[in-house]
Amino acid sequence: MFTVQIKFTRTIDIGRLGVFVRGEGAAGGNFPDASEVQSATQALNILIQHGPSSLYPNRAASFFLPPENRQAASLLRGLEMWRGFYTSLRPGPNKIFVNLDIASQPMYQSGNLADVVLDFLRAASRGITLTDLAASKIPPRGYIELDRFLRGVKVQLNVKDKDGHEPVRKIKQLEKMSAVDSRFKLEDGSIHNVESYFKLQYGVTLKRPDYVSCPFAEHLAIKLTTVGPKDRVPMLSHGLSRIQPMGAAPSTALAQWGVTIKKEPIEIQARELKAPIINYKRPIQPREGVWDMRGGHQFYSPAKVDRWLILVFDSDRFFRLEEAQASVMGLVAACTQVGLSIRDQRPPIHYVPRNSDINVYILSKGAELVRTAGGPPQMLICFLPRKPCDEYATIKRFGDVDKGVATQCLFINKAKRGNPQYYGNIALKMNVKMRGINSILDPASLGPIAEKPTMLFGVDVSHPSPGSLSPSIAALVGSMDSKASLYGTTVRIQSSRLAIVSHLDNMTATLIKQFEDKLRIKPHRLIFFRDGISEGQFPEVLATEVAAIRAACKKLGGGYSPDLTYIVCGKRHHMSFFPKNDMDADRRNHNCKAGTTIDTDITSTYSFDWYTQSHASLLGTGRSAHYTVLVDDSKFSADTLQQLVFNLCFTYARCTRSVSYATPAFYADRVCTRAQLLLKSDTDDTSTVISSHSGASEENLRGQKLAEVTSHLRTIHVAHQESLYFM
């Protein structure tokens, strides 16, 4: 029995939403407040999603349709891809529109459980048959992987219970024994195994009692399939037909409320921003977001490597000495071509003994280099056997924190196939890790940065995996020169899943002081790019982070009060843009061209925001970045700020193409990733027990974990103060 209590909260007036989008009486006292707009929007979203969510599997604002061709939708490993649609109602200037996007979700295959398990195990060995599912034949590693795969999966038994129904059970775990060997006691005291229980309870005889038993999935995260622009529009039209079927009955929710959705997509005007000039030793003009360094182009400020160590973390049986030497020669050739100077072009190659202490071994080889070359290594080149591998984190901790030496890892399977382009990409990363500068924006493309001393900041917060008690990590990067090429970094640990940066005042002050120490002047302008927050968090960000930045400036004394511009970068939106004419499309895949900018029709009615497609998409439909300006003391014009942000997408140091959103925010994201690696303990977080037997609350456990991780936090070595060590 359930008791349901319905409580009146407010009247939903859809008309007030219309008043809001039309801006009627915005200056008066009868303008809709935020709660009225939110309630009306939420009600319409429920109406739109009601029909599909009643008919199809759904998650949040997305619903999914079973594939028509299950073989084509198969992902192997017991999974198949279901494609569906995301829906969300959004208010725009003078209109309310439905944001409809394609959603994809891997699902467990339907069918006989043994067939699904067989498909899963065949990913590791194609020769497995149904006979190999016997409990005695599955190897220990196979048990572990299969147990993870099956936990939580709902299975419908092909037998009928006393009420005549085929019961549905959820798998709790996988037993390492067969249905014959798995024994348990019933309430009457009798002892049974799974085979005899099914005979007793359901009157059936198991065909394969030698199979493993499951005492009664979540969807697995994998790369989603991609859909190109020309295929996407027809698919979205199909999705709309599921939301608003042709000739829908008058009893449907949309019809009852008198709501209809136009079938044609919105046509909007866009502008194409001009790409900046990129300066190496000679200038390059990018084309459609891409440029080519071939033809004798060299780095703007190449580094010089006088001493380096080459380390192989694998047996010479799998990576022969001649293969390693060929890789080093290819790397040297690529570095020389772009101006990066390497003194010792045929260095000795050291194979690290298996199970040796990596730190001790590197120190010993470094000491040899001091004796033979007059100093420690400036660069460690490490060939690793696979990705991921345990050695990677140890190497990065040694270089980033312990000794302040640049490290560059190459994975052997790629190095064996290495070509000039591959080694050229490695050279891009090596140069900036050695405080070199690959390229800069032409002075004419720097815009406001060239007018007065300006610092660019990127802010991001990364969170632990679901179910983890680990804290979140906040990262701040800040430019350290007038060319927006060198960056300083600072990292803080904060409470788990806290999206707002807790220590932004101290972090900001630290980087401003670093800027002042280097350039002998405080920045007159601060431009922040904030990644990782949603529209609903804007008021909190204004009240906390913006206030923290201003407080940091005030603490620096002398009446210091620079102009602040605070921009939020949004990537996880569902807006898709398609060029109407082929002449406006990217030649390769018909996406919008890099530089396509939209700031009308679908943007906020009352905020300064816009969308820019800043990169050349390689697969599927390009995703633009959504920028929202929360604070702008400098009162930049839309043209000035949009062009500056687009130009900054061409300054990402490790590639020769523009990236999908502003580089400072991109760098902050990478610093978060590196900090997680450096703080990772030898044991996985999920296996760490923190006094769980004491009955302590989850909040106390999180507090203990926060204190533990914070005590392990060590600052990045001073030698990396202005290098892009995290690349």
Side-chain angles (χ1 to χ4, degrees), residues 59-80:
R59 178 173 58 84
S62 300
F63 64 92
F64 305 95
L65 308 177
E68 296 178 359
N69 185 338
R70 291 195 177 275
Q71 185 174 358
S74 175
L75 299 174
L76 302 180
R77 296 187 67 82
L79 300 173
E80 60 189 16

Side-chain angles (χ1 to χ4, degrees), residues 54-111:
S54 302
L55 298 173
Y56 311 111
N58 56 86
R59 178 173 58 84
S62 300
F63 64 92
F64 305 95
L65 308 177
E68 296 178 359
N69 185 338
R70 291 195 177 275
Q71 185 174 358
S74 175
L75 299 174
L76 302 180
R77 296 187 67 82
L79 300 173
E80 60 189 16
M81 182 64 73
W82 287 35
R83 187 165 281 142
F85 303 92
Y86 165 91
T87 61
S88 176
L89 183 135
R90 296 183 66 86
N94 296 309
K95 66 170 71 71
I96 302 168
F97 62 91
V98 174
N99 183 196
L100 182 64
D101 196 11
I102 291 173
S104 297
Q105 183 69 54
M107 301 280 194
Y108 286 96
Q109 291 177 3
S110 61

Side-chain angles (χ1 to χ4, degrees), residues 285-566:
Q285 178 65 65
R287 185 178 181 185
E288 296 185 1
V290 180
W291 62 97
D292 192 344
M293 285 188 64
R294 289 176 297 184
H297 286 284
Q298 294 192 337
F299 291 148
Y300 177 82
S301 176
K304 185 178 181 181
V305 182
D306 292 324
R307 299 172 303 277
W308 61 341
L309 275 180
I310 312 297
L311 304 170
V312 177
F313 290 80
D314 205 351
S315 168
D316 57 3
R317 290 185 301 155
F318 303 111
F319 191 45
R320 301 190 310 274
L321 179 60
E322 55 268 29
E323 291 176 316
Q325 290 172 334
S327 294
V328 173
M329 290 174 62
L331 182 58
V332 168
C335 290
T336 302
Q337 185 175 6
V338 293
L340 206 163
S341 173
I342 298 179
R343 175 181 291 181
D344 185 2
Q345 299 194 357
R346 291 183 176 273
I349 296 173
H350 306 284
Y351 284 80
V352 181
R354 190 173 183 179
N355 299 324
S356 62
D357 186 310
I358 293 176
N359 290 348
V360 172
Y361 185 85
I362 296 176
L363 287 173
S364 68
K365 294 303 175 184
E368 289 180 13
L369 200 62
V370 171
R371 292 192 297 270
T372 59
Q378 300 160 300
M379 169 70 71
L380 302 180
I381 300 294
C382 304
F383 289 95
L384 302 180
R386 70 194 67 84
K387 185 177 183 179
C389 66
D390 296 335
E391 296 89 347
Y392 184 78
T394 303
I395 292 166
K396 293 304 178 183
R397 277 194 290 266
F398 180 90
D400 296 353
V401 177
D402 296 340
K403 298 300 178 182
V405 59
T407 59
Q408 180 59 55
C409 295
L410 296 84
F411 293 97
I412 290 173
N413 60 338
K414 289 187 176 181
K416 286 181 177 180
R417 307 190 306 267
N419 55 31
Q421 181 180 359
Y422 169 74
Y423 290 119
N425 290 336
I426 299 296
L428 288 168
K429 296 192 282 186
M430 286 176 58
N431 192 52
V432 295
K433 291 176 181 180
M434 296 282 294
R435 295 196 182 189
I437 299 174
N438 293 349
S439 64
I440 63 169
L441 290 176
D442 185 81
S445 301
L446 288 170
I449 300 175
E451 295 174 359
K452 59 177 67 175
T454 301
M455 272 192 82
L456 305 176
F457 291 88
V459 192
D460 195 16
V461 179
S462 66
H463 304 292
S465 57
S468 171
L469 298 176
S470 292
S472 295
I473 297 172
L476 180 69
V477 304
S479 60
M480 292 291 152
D481 64 353
S482 59
K483 305 177 184 67
S485 57
L486 299 175
Y487 282 80
T489 66
T490 182
V491 173
R492 295 290 190 279
I493 307 300
Q494 60 185 49
S495 299
S496 182
R497 312 214 170 275
L498 178 63
I500 302 301
V501 181
S502 297
H503 309 286
L504 190 56
D505 51 351
N506 293 332
M507 298 168 76
T508 301
T510 297
L511 292 185
I512 291 177
K513 289 177 182 176
Q514 188 175 329
F515 182 97
E516 184 182 16
D517 291 342
K518 180 177 175 59
L519 301 181
R520 304 303 179 194
I521 189 172
K522 288 188 179 73
H524 296 182
R525 279 195 183 119
L526 310 179
I527 303 178
F528 276 75
F529 292 91
R530 177 62 157 97
D531 189 16
I533 57 173
S534 63
E535 293 179 8
Q537 294 171 310
F538 288 177
E540 187 178 5
V541 166
L542 280 168
T544 55
E545 293 189 359
V546 171
I549 295 167
R550 297 198 188 280
C553 296
K554 188 175 181 180
K555 288 178 183 177
L556 293 173
Y560 179 55
S561 181
D563 290 339
L564 171 64
T565 300
Y566 191 99

